[in-house]
Amino acid sequence: MSDDRPSPSIAVHPDDDARLVDAVVAGGGATVPLESARALVWNSGSDTFPDQLPDGIEWVQLPAAGIEDWFTSGVIERNPNVHFTSAAGAFAPSVAEHAVALLLAGVRSLPQHLLATTWRQQELAPTVGTLRGATVAIVGAGGIGRAMIPMLAALGAHVVAVNRSGCPVPGAVHTYPVSQLADVWAEVHHVIIGAPATPATKHLVGKEELAKLKPTSWVINIARGSLIDTDALVEALTDGTIGGVGLDVTEPEPLPDGHPLWSLPNAIVTPHDSNPPQHRLTAYAERVRDNVARFAAGEELIASVDPVSGY
Amino acid sequence: MSDDRPSPSIAVHPDDDARLVDAVVAGGGATVPLESARALVWNSGSDTFPDQLPDGIEWVQLPAAGIEDWFTSGVIERNPNVHFTSAAGAFAPSVAEHAVALLLAGVRSLPQHLLATTWRQQELAPTVGTLRGATVAIVGAGGIGRAMIPMLAALGAHVVAVNRSGCPVPGAVHTYPVSQLADVWAEVHHVIIGAPATPATKHLVGKEELAKLKPTSWVINIARGSLIDTDALVEALTDGTIGGVGLDVTEPEPLPDGHPLWSLPNAIVTPHDSNPPQHRLTAYAERVRDNVARFAAGEELIASVDPVSGY
């Protein structure tokens, strides 16, 4: 080390995956057993998390972007003196790409095209829409939402962002505070839901909101199933209130067999695989490296968990 | 008019669509009957084109980007003293968006997801790929190909361009001359075909080229069906030589009922509707305005037809 700070001692658990160990070292840390560590890089679910952490642990890096499980399982509450960071934002590019893929497939009417087994140009061509010139609302413009903006802009869409503060999101043509969300639905062509799951965001999209959208509007949810009222959504899809839906998350989840969303032709369901394992570790390792470097330098960590707000 | 040039006299035929008339006026032209016109803005197919043009016609603007029909029907040959321009490039954004939609849907495995009627996360997640970090070859980087580059770049892909000259295409990480095309296939993850249909490009993609691609490679064709050897393609899709194909054009076209491409799960066929009528006139009107302005100013027109090369 070229500076005077010692390498922080960091445990990688429950496995010691080589890419995460490399990331710790690349960030300026030294990997040690849990008992002698100042920080823990966790690489599993909340169900296998230690009941009790050694007293020396100051910081725990969690591998998920959405960490409700760590709240409901009591892990956060059990360790009030530990600084938790989530991986919020680390998987943003893969999830953002998935959201754009769902929206673009829907808008260009690919699901209907895939059902065709004969050259139905006269019937299908009128169903092909475009993102060029369309206004797309990103509701919950956190890391994932912000990662979508350059993708959507390159496709010619105008992005409207909605966040808690209304502070302008770079690249968005307008940013609304969530207090004005009710005005957004009627103004936009399509909506991407990227907000965290909290009591305040439950059924953020319901019958009333869907009714304000257009018959050609696509709604994409890559956040959490609870943000959309599924029954209202099925009704809106069935009666043509909206154009279609792309869901990587559902309520209930997993979506049960026989659910109408499986057979509606204007619903694309992906089983919560917008950030599949084969993309995940690479992205998580990048975050570990960045946060270890910040920890070593005594800087603010990325994606600190707020025990009060719940994310 | 604020300058000294008179407004060029331009006929809009066979209809006099209001948006095209407006575009002529916006470009500084005046609309007149065909008999007294210096230029003709055509808004129909080659089959209804006049057998004989009035002597005064110097320039004809054709409404299509691919103009084989105007060659094979003899329209170009019959009028050797007329300067023809195609609409090549005018529809580039819509077709480019379609190509990116096909590629992204394929790479993210949306066709397989759409077939699912139960929550098959374990089975489907491993099939989800990403354009992030992938190398995409655009073979035939004309107007459409160039319009794709910023879209693909925003999704994190590296674009390799192939054109006749090898002159660097802005935004491409490398540009190959078509003479080195044989080296490109093994180097890239995915291929988008955007080259014009000429005798030289017939079956540009055949058994040998497909064999050099990867089992995860997607091949997209939004140009002309003749560029791909369909039988070789079906074989490559069936035996897993490549990952999948997105075709807006086919050979034969229309694709006949019962053709294997209709039922292969890794083939997305759209019936040549990447530039559907509802998007077309707006884009054509923009080109008419631009070329009328150039014609009025005595400047070089966009997309002049070369009677020798055939496009």
Side-chain angles (χ1 to χ4, degrees):
Chain A
M1 298 288 291
S2 59
D3 66 16
D4 295 339
R5 294 177 185 273
S7 298
S9 303
I10 295 176
V12 176
H13 273 264
D15 54 18
D16 57 347
D17 184 276
R19 275 177 289 181
L20 295 179
V21 170
D22 288 351
V24 166
V25 173
T31 53
V32 298
L34 184 58
E35 293 65 33
S36 52
R38 288 178 56 204
L40 167 60
V41 170
W42 188 248
N43 191 30
S44 185
S46 60
D47 48 336
T48 53
F49 197 84
D51 285 335
Q52 193 161 8
L53 287 175
D55 286 345
I57 297 291
E58 304 164 29
W59 162 48
V60 173
Q61 172 69 55
L62 299 176
I67 53 162
E68 305 91 324
D69 285 355
W70 272 270
F71 278 98
T72 55
S73 63
V75 167
I76 310 282
E77 203 177 14
R78 270 205 314 275
N79 296 284
N81 299 320
V82 172
H83 182 169
F84 283 89
T85 52
S86 75
F91 312 114
S94 186
V95 181
E97 179 186 345
H98 201 79
V100 172
L102 290 171
L103 178 60
L104 194 51
V107 167
R108 300 290 312 193
S109 186
L110 297 189
Q112 279 188 259
H113 283 80
L114 278 161
L115 290 174
T117 55
T118 186
W119 193 266
R120 290 158 48 198
Q121 191 186 52
Q122 297 301 315
E123 190 182 334
L124 287 171
T127 70
V128 177
T130 178
L131 283 180
R132 183 151 296 268
T135 301
V136 178
I138 299 178
V139 179
I144 294 169
R146 287 196 301 273
M148 290 171 205
I149 295 179
M151 302 175 187
L152 293 168
L155 289 159
H158 310 295
V159 172
V160 161
V162 180
N163 59 19
R164 280 180 289 175
S165 64
C167 286
V169 172
V173 296
H174 193 77
T175 305
Y176 291 91
V178 72
S179 58
Q180 290 175 28
L181 179 58
D183 301 334
V184 171
W185 310 100
E187 257 183 48
V188 301
H189 294 97
H190 309 290
V191 177
I192 301 176
I193 305 295
T198 68
T201 61
K202 186 172 167 68
H203 291 194
L204 190 77
V205 182
K207 189 181 172 73
E208 196 182 329
E209 291 74 24
L210 292 163
K212 291 180 187 165
L213 292 171
K214 303 181 198 329
T216 49
S217 293
W218 275 71
V219 175
I220 308 301
N221 188 2
I222 42 72
R224 285 293 182 267
S226 64
L227 278 84
I228 300 185
D229 176 343
T230 302
D231 292 341
L233 180 67
V234 168
E235 199 182 317
L237 290 169
T238 307
D239 66 15
T241 303
I242 64 169
V245 71
L247 302 176
D248 188 52
V249 290
T250 58
E251 185 189 62
E253 185 174 317
L255 195 67
D257 289 0
H259 194 283
L261 285 172
W262 287 122
S263 49
L264 280 166
N266 50 349
I268 314 176
V269 177
T270 61
H272 210 142
D273 61 3
S274 65
N275 175 33
Q278 65 271 23
H279 303 179
R280 201 177 292 159
L281 196 61
T282 310
Y284 185 41
E286 281 179 30
R287 170 59 58 86
V288 166
R289 181 201 60 206
D290 292 349
N291 259 350
V292 167
R294 285 164 177 254
F295 186 71
E299 294 171 1
E300 195 181 348
L301 301 180
I302 303 169
S304 289
V305 172
D306 177 352
V308 177
S309 70
Y311 58 91
Chain B
M1 300 284 290
S2 59
D3 67 15
D4 295 339
R5 293 178 185 272
S7 298
S9 304
I10 294 176
V12 176
H13 273 264
D15 54 19
D16 55 348
D17 183 277
R19 275 178 289 183
L20 294 180
V21 169
D22 287 351
V24 166
V25 173
T31 53
V32 299
L34 183 60
E35 293 65 34
S36 52
R38 289 178 55 204
L40 167 60
V41 170
W42 188 246
N43 191 29
S44 183
S46 62
D47 48 335
T48 52
F49 198 83
D51 285 335
Q52 193 160 8
L53 288 174
D55 286 346
I57 298 291
E58 303 163 32
W59 163 47
V60 172
Q61 172 67 55
L62 299 177
I67 54 162
E68 305 91 324
D69 285 354
W70 272 271
F71 278 99
T72 54
S73 63
V75 166
I76 310 283
E77 202 177 15
R78 269 206 315 275
N79 297 284
N81 299 320
V82 172
H83 183 168
F84 284 88
T85 51
S86 76
F91 312 115
S94 186
V95 181
E97 179 186 345
H98 201 80
V100 171
L102 291 170
L103 178 60
L104 193 52
V107 167
R108 299 291 310 194
S109 187
L110 297 189
Q112 278 186 259
H113 283 80
L114 279 161
L115 290 174
T117 56
T118 187
W119 193 266
R120 291 157 48 200
Q121 191 186 53
Q122 298 301 317
E123 191 182 333
L124 286 171
T127 70
V128 177
T130 178
L131 283 181
R132 183 152 296 268
T135 301
V136 178
I138 299 178
V139 178
I144 294 169
R146 287 196 301 272
M148 290 171 205
I149 295 178
M151 302 176 186
L152 293 167
L155 289 159
H158 309 296
V159 172
V160 162
V162 181
N163 60 19
R164 279 181 289 176
S165 64
C167 286
V169 172
V173 294
H174 193 77
T175 304
Y176 291 92
V178 71
S179 58
Q180 290 175 28
L181 179 58
D183 301 333
V184 171
W185 310 101
E187 256 185 51
V188 301
H189 294 98
H190 309 290
V191 177
I192 300 176
I193 304 296
T198 67
T201 61
K202 186 172 167 69
H203 291 193
L204 191 77
V205 182
K207 189 181 172 70
E208 196 182 328
E209 290 75 23
L210 292 164
K212 291 180 189 167
L213 291 171
K214 303 182 198 329
T216 49
S217 293
W218 276 71
V219 175
I220 308 301
N221 188 3
I222 42 73
R224 285 291 182 268
S226 64
L227 279 84
I228 299 184
D229 177 343
T230 303
D231 292 341
L233 180 66
V234 168
E235 200 181 315
L237 291 168
T238 307
D239 67 14
T241 304
I242 64 169
V245 70
L247 301 177
D248 188 52
V249 291
T250 59
E251 184 189 64
E253 185 174 315
L255 194 68
D257 288 0
H259 194 283
L261 285 172
W262 288 122
S263 49
L264 279 166
N266 51 348
I268 313 176
V269 177
T270 60
H272 210 143
D273 60 4
S274 65
N275 174 33
Q278 65 272 23
H279 304 178
R280 201 177 292 160
L281 195 62
T282 310
Y284 185 40
E286 280 179 30
R287 171 59 58 86
V288 165
R289 181 202 60 205
D290 291 349
N291 259 350
V292 167
R294 286 163 177 254
F295 186 70
E299 293 171 2
E300 195 180 348
L301 301 181
I302 304 168
S304 290
V305 172
D306 177 351
V308 177
S309 69
Y311 57 91

